């Protein structure tokens, strides 16, 4: 009989565990599998998470959440490619209530986090939920640089003119003389105008809406989402616990028509319950007139591509005797940060392929014992 072939000894000591079986190398298919997956139409309920919404009963945040959830299906976005980023405050609970990806950051840092998310993965649909305190006080510096860089993301700034989560201190947008627990004799701060701030940072899309007008808010959200660049949307929101009635002139049926100016691109600026009031310009100064007293061509028409006009309208918010503009103040095109970043990376790769080992051993090197 032929000699029995010798079996080589196992490459491990007796008594040790058996080695794992060799890995199976996956075999690539002969051709690509083109599978048509069914397209499922999403609804507002699909964007609502299973978390209990924990805001004070009657808070305006409920309306903002509802309008965002209702609008999302119309934006043709997917949940797995959508990210909501927040800082600290009542508004910053937002990521918990959206059935998407989310990031709850620290106070004021949502713009920085969102910028990083967008830079790392430009394909993501990124939203920032922040408040007048979170985004304009401790986070003002981060908001500034996010806006000027023009990342393609969307900012929802809830403005209730108060610090709600920390129980009623005055905020950057509180009116002069505001009496709170932290300013019992009245605030001596000059209030910040969020729309003017965004325009000053050269944001490419700046708008304003209000919690008590769901239809208008949905329209502005859609426009903001369609904009390629940073969209900044201030939303007036009532805090019925610590600053109830801050926007009564803009929400009460009997008076709101005389205090709101809905601005729409190409349309004359006419307002009032009887549509009998209008805005004209005398030089660069706006003026309220009766429609019957001026020729139609003298009535100011909105141009959302004009940054000078946007600034005039934003400042008009703080002027006594003038209506508060709601709508899109500015919408202009400018290259986004992540687009130019991607182009630079592509150009660098086309010039040469990096060699990390060569880089680490270039120049003066030495060994450390």
């Amino acid at each position: 009989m032929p000699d029995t072939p010798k079996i080589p000894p196992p490459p491990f000591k007796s008594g040790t565990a058996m080695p794992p079986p060799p890995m199976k190398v996956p075999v690539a298919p002969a051709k690509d599998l083109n599978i048509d997956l069914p397209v499922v139409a999403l609804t507002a309920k699909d964007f609502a998470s299973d978390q209990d919404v924990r805001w004070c009963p009657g808070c305006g945040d409920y309306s903002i959440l509802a309008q965002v959830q209702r609008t999302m299906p119309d934006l043709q976005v997917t949940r797995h490619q959508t990210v909501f980023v927040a800082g600290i405050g009542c508004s910053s609970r937002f990521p918990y209530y959206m059935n998407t990806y989310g990031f709850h950051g620290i106070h004021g840092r949502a713009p920085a986090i969102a910028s990083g998310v967008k830079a790392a993965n430009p394909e993501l649909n990124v939203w920032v939920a922040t408040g007048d305190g979170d985004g304009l006080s401790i986070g003002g510096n981060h908001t500034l640089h996010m806006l000027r860089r023009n990342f393609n993301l969307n900012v929802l700034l809830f403005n209730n003119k108060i610090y709600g989560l920390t129980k009623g201190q005055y905020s950057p947008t509180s009116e002069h003389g505001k009496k709170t627990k932290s300013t019992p004799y009245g605030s001596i701060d000059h209030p910040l105008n969020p729309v003017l701030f965004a325009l000053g940072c050269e944001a490419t899309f700046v708008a304003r809406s209000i919690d008590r007008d769901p239809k208008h808010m949905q329209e502005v959200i859609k426009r903001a989402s369609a904009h390629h660049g940073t969209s900044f949307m201030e939303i007036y929101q009532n805090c019925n616990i610590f600053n109830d009635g801050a926007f009564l002139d803009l929400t009460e049926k009997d008076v709101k028509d005389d205090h709101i100016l809905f601005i729409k691109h190409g349309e004359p600026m006419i307002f009032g319950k009887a549509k009998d009031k209008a805005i004209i310009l005398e030089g660069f100064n706006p003026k309220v007139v009766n429609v019957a007293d001026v020729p139609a061509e003298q009535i100011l028409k909105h141009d959302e591509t004009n940054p000078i006009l946007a600034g005039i309208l934003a400042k008009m918010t703080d002027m006594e005797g003038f209506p508060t503009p709601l709508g899109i103040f500015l919408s202009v095109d400018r290259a986004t940060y992540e687009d130019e970043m991607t182009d630079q990376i592509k150009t660098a790769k086309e010039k040469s392929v990096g060699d990390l080992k060569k880089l680490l051993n270039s120049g003066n090197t030495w060994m450390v014992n």
Side-chain angles (χ1 to χ4, degrees):
M1 295 179 63
D3 294 336
T4 304
K6 294 182 179 180
I7 301 175
F12 57 90
K13 296 180 180 179
S14 177
T16 60
M18 292 293 291
M23 292 180 61
K24 293 183 179 180
V25 179
V27 179
K31 61 180 180 179
D32 292 336
L33 298 177
N34 295 319
I35 302 174
D36 293 328
L37 297 175
V39 178
V40 179
L42 299 177
T43 66
K45 290 184 178 180
D46 293 315
F47 285 93
S49 74
D50 60 356
Q51 299 299 301
D52 293 333
V53 181
R54 297 183 181 277
W55 284 315
C56 301
C59 176
D61 288 1
Y62 285 95
S63 175
I64 302 173
L65 175 64
Q67 306 331 312
V68 171
Q69 290 174 342
R70 290 169 183 167
T71 306
M72 279 289 159
D74 296 331
L75 303 182
Q76 301 298 310
V77 297
T78 57
R79 291 178 297 179
H80 70 279
Q81 287 187 309
T82 301
V83 184
F84 277 84
V85 183
I88 297 296
C90 297
S91 62
S92 298
R93 298 177 183 270
F94 217 84
Y96 296 98
Y97 306 143
M98 295 298 299
N99 191 16
T100 63
Y101 284 102
F103 197 107
H104 192 172
I106 58 177
H107 206 187
R109 272 59 178 182
I113 296 168
S115 298
V117 170
K118 192 66 180 180
N121 190 344
E123 300 302 317
L124 293 178
N125 178 37
V126 181
W127 295 76
V128 175
T130 186
D132 48 306
D134 181 60
L136 298 177
S137 184
I138 190 171
N141 180 52
H142 298 289
T143 302
L144 182 160
H145 295 297
M146 172 189 63
L147 293 175
R148 72 175 178 85
R149 286 171 175 146
N150 198 36
F151 282 95
N152 185 25
L153 51 79
N154 310 285
V155 182
L156 303 172
L157 186 134
F158 300 30
N159 184 8
N160 55 20
K161 297 186 176 183
I162 203 75
Y163 276 105
L165 186 68
T166 50
K167 308 301 184 286
Q169 300 84 0
Y170 78 101
S171 82
T173 58
S174 296
E175 65 273 17
H176 182 269
K178 181 70 175 179
K179 291 185 178 182
T180 71
K181 295 177 181 178
S182 58
T183 53
Y185 297 103
S187 169
I188 57 175
D189 272 8
H190 180 74
L192 181 68
N193 184 320
V195 170
L196 269 180
F197 172 83
L199 292 172
C201 298
E202 299 207 33
T204 54
F205 183 98
V206 183
R208 178 191 287 148
S209 190
I210 191 167
D211 57 0
R212 293 284 292 274
D213 194 333
K215 184 177 179 182
H216 183 265
M217 196 193 307
Q218 290 177 31
E219 292 174 355
V220 176
I221 291 172
K222 291 177 183 178
R223 280 292 309 276
S225 175
H227 178 72
H228 189 67
T230 303
S231 67
F232 179 90
M233 181 177 170
E234 177 191 19
I235 306 174
Y236 285 157
Q237 169 259 321
N238 188 49
C239 175
N240 58 315
I241 303 300
F242 297 107
N243 202 24
D244 194 25
F247 304 106
L248 277 178
D249 288 348
L250 310 180
T251 58
E252 297 307 295
K253 186 176 181 180
D254 294 338
V255 297
K256 66 178 183 179
D257 291 331
D258 291 323
H259 292 90
I260 292 179
L261 171 65
F262 287 104
I263 50 176
K264 295 184 179 180
H265 184 64
E267 294 190 10
M269 298 185 189
I270 297 174
F271 67 102
K273 187 174 292 187
K275 298 296 181 184
D276 57 344
K277 300 176 184 179
I279 303 294
I280 65 170
L281 277 184
E282 291 184 343
F284 288 100
N285 298 313
K287 182 179 179 180
V288 176
V289 297
N290 292 320
V291 172
D293 296 339
V294 296
E297 60 270 16
Q298 193 177 346
I299 297 175
L300 185 61
K301 289 185 178 181
H302 185 42
D303 180 1
E304 63 186 34
T305 67
N306 185 337
I308 305 300
L309 178 58
I312 293 172
L313 291 172
K315 187 60 182 175
M316 203 168 74
T317 305
D318 306 321
M319 297 169 62
E320 188 175 352
F322 284 83
T324 298
L326 297 182
I328 298 165
F329 289 76
L330 184 71
S331 180
V332 294
D333 292 326
R334 193 173 81 232
T336 65
Y337 187 95
E338 68 272 18
D339 285 348
E340 292 196 334
M341 179 192 70
T342 301
D343 289 342
Q344 284 190 352
I345 293 173
K346 182 180 179 181
T347 301
K349 287 183 175 180
E350 289 174 349
K351 287 185 177 180
S352 63
V353 178
D355 187 329
L356 182 60
K357 184 177 181 180
K358 183 179 179 180
L359 175 65
L360 294 176
N361 289 279
S362 63
N364 296 323
T365 61
W366 60 92
M367 295 295 293
V368 178
N369 293 326

